[in-house]
Amino acid sequence: MIHIRRTFARALLVAGASIGAATVASAQQGTAVQPPRAQNQHPRRANGARRPDAHLLKGLALSDAEKANLKNVRAKYAPQMQAMRRQAKPQLQALRDARQRGDTAALRSLRQQSQAQNAQQRNQAKQVFDAERNDLRSGLSPANQAKFDANVARFQKHAGKRGQKHQK
């Protein structure tokens, strides 16, 4: 019996040592260098999230002037986007809190109260998005404008299908 316990204890020590050695070895290795991003992948922000307009710019080979224009347009509309997010934050937080508490009555009540407000916010956001999209398009070359228009049409078709699915 004692022999079995000692053998088991030794096996645990060996397993623990090998796991520890593997952990140390992997920690000492350098981080892997990531290959350059493929041309067809969406640009990402520093936090890894996709840009909202990435699907519209898919497949476009942008010149330096076009990239500078995109940067300027995004900077122009950033304060409006942030203001809309700040405006919606308390409402979203109240909904999140009610959902986490499991308070379905409060959740229903908050949703009903905010329907008119949501419609107004959606219309405001749509106007800003459309204006930004028009400014983005105007800074592109004619060849890129054609690709941009095709991407917009594809996006609107997809969004239409998504809207129909949720209306059923």
Side-chain angles (χ1 to χ4, degrees):
M1 189 69 148
I2 293 173
H3 177 62
I4 294 172
R5 285 187 199 157
R6 285 184 186 160
T7 306
F8 184 68
R10 284 184 195 143
L12 283 177
L13 284 173
V14 170
S18 64
I19 290 173
T23 303
V24 170
S26 67
Q28 289 178 350
Q29 291 178 353
T31 58
V33 176
Q34 296 201 358
R37 189 168 53 224
Q39 190 71 1
N40 62 351
Q41 285 187 339
H42 297 293
R44 293 188 179 270
R45 295 182 180 165
N47 65 357
R50 288 186 178 164
R51 293 187 185 274
D53 57 1
H55 57 278
L56 300 178
L57 301 173
K58 185 176 180 181
L60 274 66
L62 300 174
S63 67
D64 290 338
E66 290 173 327
K67 289 177 185 177
N69 179 53
L70 290 177
K71 190 174 184 178
N72 291 337
V73 169
R74 288 176 178 148
K76 175 182 173 183
Y77 288 98
Q80 294 174 0
M81 300 289 190
Q82 289 173 347
M84 286 188 295
R85 280 193 291 275
R86 266 188 254 114
Q87 184 180 4
K89 193 171 185 173
Q91 178 185 2
L92 293 173
Q93 186 63 43
L95 288 167
R96 186 177 301 119
D97 291 344
R99 196 175 322 115
Q100 287 177 348
R101 286 191 315 266
D103 191 353
T104 57
L107 196 59
R108 260 188 239 113
S109 171
L110 287 168
R111 284 182 180 158
Q112 288 174 353
Q113 289 172 0
S114 63
Q115 279 184 337
Q117 186 179 4
N118 285 345
Q120 180 184 8
Q121 288 174 350
R122 274 193 307 272
N123 288 336
Q124 181 185 6
K126 185 174 179 352
Q127 290 172 355
V128 172
F129 291 146
D130 289 345
E132 183 181 22
R133 185 173 50 207
N134 291 337
D135 284 355
L136 287 173
R137 185 185 185 282
S138 67
L140 297 174
S141 67
N144 281 338
Q145 283 182 354
K147 291 178 185 177
F148 186 86
D149 292 340
N151 289 343
V152 168
R154 188 177 323 116
F155 171 73
Q156 288 175 340
K157 181 180 176 185
H158 177 72
K161 286 181 181 178
R162 188 175 61 225
Q164 289 173 356
K165 183 174 88 174
H166 290 292
Q167 289 176 356
K168 290 181 181 180

